[in-house]
Amino acid sequence: MTMIIDCHAHILPAMDDGAKDSATSLEMLKASKEQGVDIVIATPHFYGDRDRMENFISRRSASFARLKQRIEEEGEENFPQIKLGAEVAFFRGISAAEGIENLCVEGTKVLLLEMPFAPWSNIVIDEVASLVHDRGFKVVLAHIERYLAYKGQEEKLMQLAQIPVTFQMNAECLQSSGFFEKRRVQKLIDWFETGFVSLMGSDCHNLSSRKPNLENGRSKLSEATLHAIDNNAEYLMINGGR
């Protein structure tokens, strides 16, 4: 039976702008469980210009240890399984940076990469290509719908797809209101249906404005597409693309 995986979630307590404490984390995880999620990939933000790798890894381990203890106290069967990862903000020189493998989804070489919120230069594209071809990472671009406001980004996405990298979108982007918004959303749905985008995440941060919502996005897609998304997530996030 295929598992449902939320491949982008800020559920570790007091790590970033996500869950503020363990109690919030538990409620977010319970909400995910109720939506049928089997595995949550914990992806706290990592910023190379402000985080020291060893400090980030230490904080992440301590945060997860606190959360794991609370989960064990309440019963592991009430929560999805958690795998550790990170949402890594692109920075110049990332393709040559040491220790990047420590930010991959545990047990894999899958790197969730947040791209610059600005038009991407060829230098940026080349660095991503180097992460794949020279370093052997399987790069997943986070929430690609957020970059589309910049001129020429669709063309850059096409370039990145040829490297290849994998594209992830957030469940909330498939919600629509108004004529023009519905047209935009339909385009994003088509990207899922054609396989151009192959992963979905909640990108949840809290219990209010950015709560676990994977079921809302999944409800907009066909059964065949959901099956493909779930297989892709398991192939990458669990099996490491093997």
Side-chain angles (χ1 to χ4, degrees), residues 107-171:
T108 77
K109 293 202 74 174
V110 175
L111 186 72
L112 182 66
L113 184 64
E114 182 177 58
M115 294 291 278
F117 288 93
W120 304 331
S121 68
N122 288 332
I123 292 174
V124 171
I125 302 299
D126 289 344
E127 284 231 48
V128 176
S130 182
L131 283 169
V132 175
H133 297 309
D134 299 331
R135 302 287 299 274
F137 293 111
K138 298 181 184 300
V139 174
V140 174
L141 258 58
H143 46 57
I144 67 165
E145 72 278 2
R146 294 188 181 177
Y147 313 123
L148 297 178
Y150 302 105
K151 185 177 180 180
Q153 293 299 73
E154 284 196 40
E155 180 182 342
K156 295 297 186 182
L157 286 174
M158 300 302 172
Q159 291 180 32
L160 288 164
Q162 297 302 311
I163 289 174
V165 302
T166 300
F167 298 142
Q168 177 257 316
M169 289 201 299
N170 290 351

Side-chain angles (χ1 to χ4, degrees), residues 37-52:
V37 175
D38 299 294
I39 298 173
V40 172
I41 311 299
T43 54
H45 291 287
F46 175 84
Y47 299 101
D49 60 349
R50 70 183 77 162
D51 290 321
R52 290 178 59 86

Side-chain angles (χ1 to χ4, degrees), residues 92-103:
R92 285 291 182 90
I94 188 173
S95 61
E98 296 182 0
I100 293 296
E101 62 275 3
N102 295 312
L103 303 175

Side-chain angles (χ1 to χ4, degrees), residues 176-237:
S176 62
S177 60
F179 176 74
F180 291 106
E181 179 66 10
K182 287 181 179 178
R183 290 180 62 184
R184 184 188 73 86
V185 168
Q186 186 56 56
K187 178 177 182 175
L188 300 183
I189 290 174
D190 290 343
W191 277 4
F192 273 113
E193 298 287 354
T194 60
F196 183 65
V197 176
S198 57
L199 294 175
M200 181 183 290
S202 69
D203 198 3
C204 58
H205 281 64
N206 52 49
L207 292 164
S208 53
S209 59
R210 301 183 69 179
K211 59 188 177 182
N213 62 354
L214 209 60
E215 67 177 353
N216 293 339
R218 290 176 64 87
S219 70
K220 306 298 181 181
L221 303 177
S222 68
E223 286 298 321
T225 297
L226 291 176
H227 185 68
I229 287 172
D230 294 338
N231 281 341
N232 288 329
E234 185 171 348
Y235 173 72
L236 283 171
M237 303 295 175

Side-chain angles (χ1 to χ4, degrees), residues 11-13 25-26 63-71 82:
I11 52 86
L12 291 184
S25 297
L26 291 176
S63 175
F64 181 55
R66 294 195 302 273
L67 179 57
K68 186 176 181 181
Q69 181 177 354
R70 292 291 303 275
I71 288 174
I82 299 171

